[in-house]
Amino acid sequence: MRMAIILDQLFDMAGSERVAQYICEEFAEADVYTLAYNPKTTFPYFSNRNIRTTWLNPLVRSTQAFAGRFLSRLT
């Protein structure tokens, strides 16, 4: 059986990334898909995983970039 782990983003060192790391450790064979990923600003564990990102990855490399590009348009 194939499994995928889907995450909204991986560019911080916060609680959700820590939980994602534990899930990835439990399901080591699962593919990881995310909107955006920055290996320089998140936990080193993820650099050893095959992380698949979207076309938005070059545009959204941090929380500030995400908020500046997308959340400001909602207000």
Side-chain angles (χ1 to χ4, degrees):
M1 176 172 67
R2 295 192 66 183
M3 181 178 289
I5 298 170
I6 316 261
L7 307 167
D8 58 347
Q9 48 82 16
L10 277 173
F11 44 66
D12 285 326
M13 290 182 121
S16 62
E17 287 78 14
R18 179 72 71 192
V19 171
Q21 177 181 339
Y22 294 147
I23 292 170
C24 288
E25 289 171 357
E26 283 297 315
F27 302 100
E29 72 284 351
D31 296 327
V32 178
Y33 295 87
T34 184
L35 173 73
Y37 168 61
N38 188 345
K40 296 177 184 174
T41 59
T42 192
F43 294 110
Y45 169 81
F46 294 108
S47 63
N48 297 326
R49 295 293 306 239
N50 181 20
I51 309 288
R52 299 178 189 209
T53 61
T54 66
W55 60 272
L56 289 172
N57 195 54
L59 302 174
V60 183
R61 300 300 296 236
S62 69
T63 304
Q64 292 81 16
F66 180 79
R69 289 185 183 265
F70 297 102
L71 296 181
S72 63
R73 296 174 192 217
L74 297 175
T75 58

